[in-house]
């Protein structure tokens, strides 16, 4: 291993400013980017295990639009759907107190219908243990599907398998995150090493096989 300045392989997601470092997800990201720039609203399920890069993909695609809401923190117990919708309304520009769900949904629709240019992004990237995914999506998806926006919901494989079939019908075909190929592993290593070292690390074939 070359001399390095710290650990190049930390577990932090790739942020929007480092979108060029994302590896192996270009096909999905190009399709998402086309939808955003062509103004084609979409409801997307991003499916992958913890650590597979879901958050990095969401951060990367967020660089394609000026207007974005990325939900990653949500408390348990209260009315989570109302909380998220109020956060979205507030985030996109109004601090009014909106008493009913119907008024809240109508306000959201009007906000997004007034927008021009690339689609706004709404990404829901919550830890799997804090939400009942069927209950949560059954209440929020009918509202989100009416917005002029790119909506991405991040799920684990087990959450997707537990998802009711009628809910799946609201969304496009799911984007499942595939495993890295060996060449993609080497590319990812090159990207990470570039930040922390002046040298490349060409992985020993046995180590590469073990990682793969």
């Amino acid at each position: 291993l070359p001399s390095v300045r710290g650990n190049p392989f930390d577990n932090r997601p790739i942020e929007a400013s480092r979108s060029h470092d994302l590896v192996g997800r270009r096909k999905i990201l190009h399709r998402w980017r086309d939808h955003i720039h062509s103004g084609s609203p979409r409801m997307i399920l991003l499916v992958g295990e913890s650590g597979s890069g879901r958050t990095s993909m969401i951060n990367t695609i967020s660089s394609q639009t000026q207007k974005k809401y990325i939900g990653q923190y949500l408390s348990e117990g209260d009315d989570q759907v109302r909380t998220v919708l109020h956060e979205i309304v507030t985030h996109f520009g109004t601090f009014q107190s909106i008493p009913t769900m119907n008024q809240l949904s109508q306000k959201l629709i009007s906000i997004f219908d007034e927008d021009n240019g690339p689609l706004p992004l709404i990404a829901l990237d919550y830890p799997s243990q804090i939400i009942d995914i069927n209950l949560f999506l059954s209440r929020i998806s009918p509202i989100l599907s009416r917005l002029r926006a790119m909506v991405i919901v991040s799920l684990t494989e087990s959450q997707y398998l537990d998802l009711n079939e009628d809910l799946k019908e609201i969304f496009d075909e799911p984007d499942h995150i595939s495993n890295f190929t060996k060449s993609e592993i080497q590319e990812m290593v090159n990207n990470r090493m570039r930040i922390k070292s002046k040298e490349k690390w060409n992985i020993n074939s046995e180590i590469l096989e073990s990682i793969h």
Side-chain angles (χ1 to χ4, degrees), residues 78-83 85 101 133-144 167 170:
D78 56 358
D79 189 339
Q80 294 175 322
V81 170
R82 180 181 287 274
T83 297
L85 293 177
M101 286 290 284
I133 196 62
N134 278 295
L135 178 61
F136 181 79
L137 287 185
S138 67
R139 294 186 62 207
I140 202 169
S141 296
I143 298 172
L144 296 182
L167 281 174
I170 298 176

Side-chain angles (χ1 to χ4, degrees), residues 70-136:
I70 302 177
Q72 294 177 318
Y73 308 100
L74 186 62
S75 59
E76 298 182 67
D78 56 358
D79 189 339
Q80 294 175 322
V81 170
R82 180 181 287 274
T83 297
V84 172
L85 293 177
H86 267 293
E87 285 183 0
I88 295 172
V89 165
T90 302
H91 185 79
F92 286 102
T94 178
F95 294 91
Q96 296 172 275
S97 176
I98 303 176
T100 71
M101 286 290 284
N102 184 58
Q103 290 173 321
L104 188 55
S105 63
Q106 291 301 319
K107 184 62 179 178
L108 275 169
I109 291 166
S110 66
I111 288 173
F112 284 86
D113 279 350
E114 293 169 359
D115 196 46
N116 294 312
L119 290 178
L121 172 68
I122 297 174
L124 306 181
D125 185 27
Y126 301 120
S128 60
Q129 63 270 23
I130 69 166
I131 56 174
D132 178 330
I133 196 62
N134 278 295
L135 178 61
F136 181 79

Side-chain angles (χ1 to χ4, degrees), residues 89-208:
V89 165
T90 302
H91 185 79
F92 286 102
T94 178
F95 294 91
Q96 296 172 275
S97 176
I98 303 176
T100 71
M101 286 290 284
N102 184 58
Q103 290 173 321
L104 188 55
S105 63
Q106 291 301 319
K107 184 62 179 178
L108 275 169
I109 291 166
S110 66
I111 288 173
F112 284 86
D113 279 350
E114 293 169 359
D115 196 46
N116 294 312
L119 290 178
L121 172 68
I122 297 174
L124 306 181
D125 185 27
Y126 301 120
S128 60
Q129 63 270 23
I130 69 166
I131 56 174
D132 178 330
I133 196 62
N134 278 295
L135 178 61
F136 181 79
L137 287 185
S138 67
R139 294 186 62 207
I140 202 169
S141 296
I143 298 172
L144 296 182
S145 65
R146 299 175 64 189
L147 306 182
R148 183 187 175 276
M150 176 84 156
V151 177
I152 301 174
V153 178
S154 172
L155 301 177
T156 64
E157 291 284 355
S158 61
Q159 282 181 309
Y160 178 73
L161 291 174
D162 289 341
L163 201 62
N164 293 337
E165 292 299 321
D166 56 340
L167 281 174
K168 293 179 183 178
E169 292 296 321
I170 298 176
F171 292 83
D172 292 1
E173 281 293 314
D175 285 316
H176 291 269
I177 298 178
S178 58
N179 292 330
F180 288 122
T181 64
K182 292 180 183 179
S183 62
E184 288 169 345
I185 292 170
Q186 182 65 65
E187 182 183 356
M188 182 178 65
V189 167
N190 293 344
N191 290 345
R192 293 301 186 99
M193 290 294 289
R194 187 177 63 247
I195 300 170
K196 298 291 187 178
S197 177
K198 295 180 180 179
E199 303 175 66
K200 286 187 176 182
W201 178 36
N202 293 315
I203 308 176
N204 174 284
S205 59
E206 291 184 11
I207 297 175
L208 181 57

